[in-house]
Every structure is written in structure tokens, then in C-alpha cells.
Amino acid sequence: MTATTSPASTRIVAKKRAGDLWFSGTAVAAGSMIMITLAAVAIFLIVQSIPAFTATAEDASLLKTSFWDYVGPLLFGTVWAAFLALLLAVPLSLGVALFITHYAPRRLAQGLGYVVDLLAAVPSVVFGLWGILVLAPAVQPIYVWLNTNASWIPLFSGVVSPTGRTILTAAMVLAVMVVPIITAICREIFLQTPRLHEEAALALGATRWEMVRMAVLPFGRSGIVSASMLGLGRALGETMAVAMVLSVSKAVTFELLTSTNPSTIAANIALTFPEAYQVNINILIATGLILFVVTFAVNALARWFVNRRKEFSGAN
């Protein structure tokens, strides 16, 4: 009588190859290094920032009263400049991405895509020089016209800057810098739109714009938000271009055309750090911690929105 073996007892155990072990170990190590580096940066910022939160005007030359009075205008300027840049960059990026993917001829679309991608490689110093020497003098007459004809709008009131180096000019430079990032991501998202959805909309008599509005944009909504938040993170942390273009007075104001402009955290650190000493260094590091928290919160919010859209799409 022969003994029969069950399928469970004849289970074959795959032998792990050395290449698989090396690859999996390298991947785990690379992923772990991201978390370790992020934790190390956070710990450094927190430890070095502790003296700044209790510092007074007698302890540091940067402070007039307290640390929060010092960082308040800088935080406002950072968020305000990034918001203006995103307000200018997102519509332009969406238009360029839609033109490349759905309107331009193939050869033109490829060439334009390469040009947009190359813009992301331009150093921020070059954008800063362009903003000072080209953009600011070019837009200054436009600022005068806006102030003359639309000063009833609070954003365009006040005394116009004679140099054109205003918060609006800095926002334009930031917008140009983040357009390649947002455009590249939106372009890839739009190209992934199901072809059958587009053809079905056109077969029902929709125009090309109606097809884009009904099929392409809803499909890429979460990707558009992700691209916008990624561009916002770049705008929040940009240093040299803003420091070179902006005429800083560290005032909290919404006026866009005057020489009274709020500074940003990154630009303030770059301009002030070489002359800082003792507690002043801790104060600047503490402002960097604030920027770190704001950027982290923005990216977390974007991730939450994208995941919520995926869950909603899956439920439907």
C-alpha cells in the first residue's frame, strides 16, 4: 500500500537568489534613508530652535519684542507670495499642458514639451537676474497704469514702486519657476485619460473643449491638485530669486505695487544668516522650522485630498 502525500506536504519552497536579496535590501535601505534624513532634519531644527522661542529683544538684535512678532510678517510674506505665484502659474500650466496633449501637432507638442522640461533646469539665480533686469522694468509702467485706473481696488493702491521690484513681480518670477513642474505632471496625467472616454464624448457631439471639460479635467483632478501642491512647495521654499527681486521692508500689507513688501522666510534667512551670531542664529533656524512645518502641512493636505479622491472614485 503506497502512502499518498497531500498537496500541502509537497509545497515547493522557492530559493531566494542573491540578486533578489541584494535588490530588496537596497530598496529597503533607500526607503529607510528618506525617513531617517527627514527625522534628522526635524530633530536638528527643533533642538536648535528651542532658545529662539524664549528669546527677548535684549538677547537678540533681530527681535523687537518677541520671536512670534518677528516671524509673523515673514510667514505672511511667504504664504502671500506663494499664493500669488500659484494663482498665476496653475491656469498657465493647465493651458500649456492641454495644448501639448490635445491641441498641438505632434512635432510641435514634442518640441514644446522639451522646452518646458528644460525650464525646470534653469538655476534660480538666473531667474532672479531676469526678474531684476528684464521683468521689473517691463512691468513697472503697467503698475503705474493699474494704480492710476484701478486704485479703488486695495491691491493696487498706494505709491507705486519706481523700480518695479514688488511682491507681485516676485510672484511672477516664482510662477515662471513652478510652471514647468506643474505642466510636466499635468501633461502626464492628461495623457493617461482613457481614450474611450474622449472618443465617447466626441461621438456624442461634444466639441474638443467640451470633451476636455467632461472627460480630461475630471479624470486628472487629483493629479492637478498634486501638481499644484508640489509647485506650492517649491514656491514656499524658493530663496535666491525672491531675495534678488523683492525690495524688502518686512511689512504686513496686501498692496502689490508698492515698495513696502513683506519678506519671505527663505529669503530672510539667506540675507540675514551671514551676519547672525549667538541667539540670532537660533532665531533664523526657528523660522526655518516654521517653514518646514508649513511645507509639510501643505504636502500632507495634498496627499489627503488625493487619497480621498481615489476612495471616492473607487466607491463610485
Side-chain angles (χ1 to χ4, degrees), residues 89-164:
V90 171
L92 179 61
S93 300
L94 290 178
V96 174
L98 288 174
F99 178 75
I100 292 175
T101 56
H102 290 85
Y103 288 92
R106 183 179 299 272
R107 291 185 179 180
L108 178 60
Q110 290 179 349
L112 187 58
Y114 293 148
V115 171
V116 172
D117 293 339
L118 286 176
L119 280 176
V122 177
S124 58
V125 176
V126 176
F127 281 111
L129 292 174
W130 171 75
I132 294 176
L133 302 178
V134 179
L135 183 61
V139 298
Q140 201 276 336
I142 301 177
Y143 292 168
V144 173
W145 184 88
L146 286 173
N147 181 261
T148 303
N149 298 275
S151 58
W152 53 273
I153 301 176
L155 296 176
F156 303 141
S157 61
V159 180
V160 179
S161 171
T163 61

Side-chain angles (χ1 to χ4, degrees), residues 25-49:
T26 304
V28 172
S32 302
M33 283 300 299
I34 297 176
M35 301 302 299
I36 294 173
T37 303
L38 184 64
V41 171
I43 293 173
F44 167 78
L45 291 175
I46 293 173
V47 172
Q48 293 295 324
S49 301

Side-chain angles (χ1 to χ4, degrees), residues 15-81:
K15 183 179 180 180
K16 294 184 178 180
R17 299 180 180 179
D20 295 334
L21 295 175
W22 277 101
F23 179 78
S24 61
T26 304
V28 172
S32 302
M33 283 300 299
I34 297 176
M35 301 302 299
I36 294 173
T37 303
L38 184 64
V41 171
I43 293 173
F44 167 78
L45 291 175
I46 293 173
V47 172
Q48 293 295 324
S49 301
I50 293 176
F53 296 131
T54 57
T56 61
E58 291 77 12
D59 301 327
S61 59
L62 289 177
L63 300 183
K64 293 183 179 180
T65 54
S66 65
F67 168 76
W68 297 109
D69 293 329
Y70 175 77
V71 76
L74 297 175
L75 182 59
F76 167 79
T78 302
V79 176
W80 182 230

Side-chain angles (χ1 to χ4, degrees), residues 186-209:
C186 291
R187 181 185 62 199
E188 297 302 322
I189 294 296
F190 294 159
L191 288 174
Q192 295 177 12
T193 304
R195 187 68 178 174
L196 292 178
H197 292 184
E198 298 179 1
E199 293 177 351
L202 294 174
L204 291 174
T207 62
R208 180 162 299 192
W209 162 243

